[in-house]
């Protein structure tokens, strides 16, 4: 059998042709989601450090992918109700300002007695108006760093990750669900 150079997994089909780039990225994505948790004897435990590793990388990855590209690559979407890369960065900024850390704080301070505020998924269209992509990338990088620093300073315990809050559409969620969704949102 062969071993994948990227994931280290052994192939069950030794004579298979190499996977496509999208298959490799999907495997990396799934490995990342699975590694947010580690399996013990009977339960799965959330690992904040694994989540932070992904969240910390997103600004640099976006900068590497988008900085210096022409508007035809960064400001064009692929159809109705879709986001361009410029819009995606604006959407991530809105999440850093109004969503993820605010919801963590609401969950920890109020539990299930106060639902999370709904988030406007399209607020970036107004908030990004007149800004350059480079300005958005800088703003996202600064906000993400600040939010992760704040998250780390909370010195969360295993008990905190099991605490519950109320998502406006999904109902009761744990803190580990919320942070895992933050990571999955970055990877999506």
């Amino acid at each position: 059998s062969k071993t994948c150079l990227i994931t280290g997994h052994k192939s069950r089909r030794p004579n298979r042709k190499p996977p496509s780039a999208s298959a490799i990225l999907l495997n990396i994505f799934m490995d990342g989601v699975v590694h947010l948790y580690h399996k013990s004897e009977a339960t799965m435990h959330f690992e904040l450090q694994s989540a932070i590793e992904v969240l910390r990388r997103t600004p640099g990855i976006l900068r590497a992918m988008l900085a210096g590209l022409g508007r035809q690559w960064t400001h064009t979407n692929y159809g109705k109700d879709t986001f361009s890369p410029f819009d995606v960065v604006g959407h991530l900024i809105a999440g850093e300002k109004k969503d993820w850390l605010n919801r963590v704080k609401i969950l920890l301070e109020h539990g299930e007695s106060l639902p999370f505020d709904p988030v406007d998924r399209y607020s970036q269209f107004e908030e990004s108006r007149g800004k350059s992509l480079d300005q958005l990338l800088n703003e996202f990088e600064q906000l993400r760093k600040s939010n992760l620093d704040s998250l780390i300073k909370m010195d969360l315990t295993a008990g905190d990750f099991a605490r519950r809050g109320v998502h406006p559409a999904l109902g009761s969620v744990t803190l580990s669900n919320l942070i895992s969704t933050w990571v999955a949102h970055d990877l999506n």
Side-chain angles (χ1 to χ4, degrees), residues 4-66:
C4 176
L5 296 175
I6 295 173
T7 65
H9 292 126
K10 293 210 181 270
S11 171
R12 288 179 268 171
R13 299 181 200 155
N15 296 324
R16 239 172 107 180
K17 70 179 188 177
S20 67
S22 60
I24 289 170
L25 289 174
L26 178 61
N27 282 334
I28 291 169
F29 168 74
M30 293 310 296
D31 282 349
V33 171
V34 168
H35 286 115
L36 289 176
Y37 293 86
H38 73 274
K39 204 168 198 175
S40 68
E41 293 173 15
T43 61
M44 305 249 318
H45 297 282
F46 175 77
E47 291 184 354
L48 180 61
Q49 192 54 43
S50 293
I52 289 172
E53 287 174 7
V54 174
L55 294 170
R56 203 172 251 144
R57 291 178 181 175
T58 304
I61 290 169
L62 289 173
R63 184 175 301 285
M65 289 176 59
L66 300 173

Side-chain angles (χ1 to χ4, degrees), residues 54-100:
V54 174
L55 294 170
R56 203 172 251 144
R57 291 178 181 175
T58 304
I61 290 169
L62 289 173
R63 184 175 301 285
M65 289 176 59
L66 300 173
L69 292 177
R71 288 180 64 86
Q72 72 273 22
W73 295 110
T74 61
H75 286 68
T76 304
N77 64 32
Y78 55 92
K80 185 179 182 216
D81 298 325
T82 65
F83 292 171
S84 70
F86 179 87
D87 299 334
V88 168
V89 177
H91 176 76
L92 290 170
I93 289 169
E96 294 301 309
K97 287 180 174 179
K98 302 172 189 168
D99 190 358
W100 305 112

Side-chain angles (χ1 to χ4, degrees), residues 107-118:
L107 185 151
L108 292 172
E109 292 173 18
H110 301 283
E112 293 181 291
S113 68
L114 180 66
F116 303 151
D117 294 327

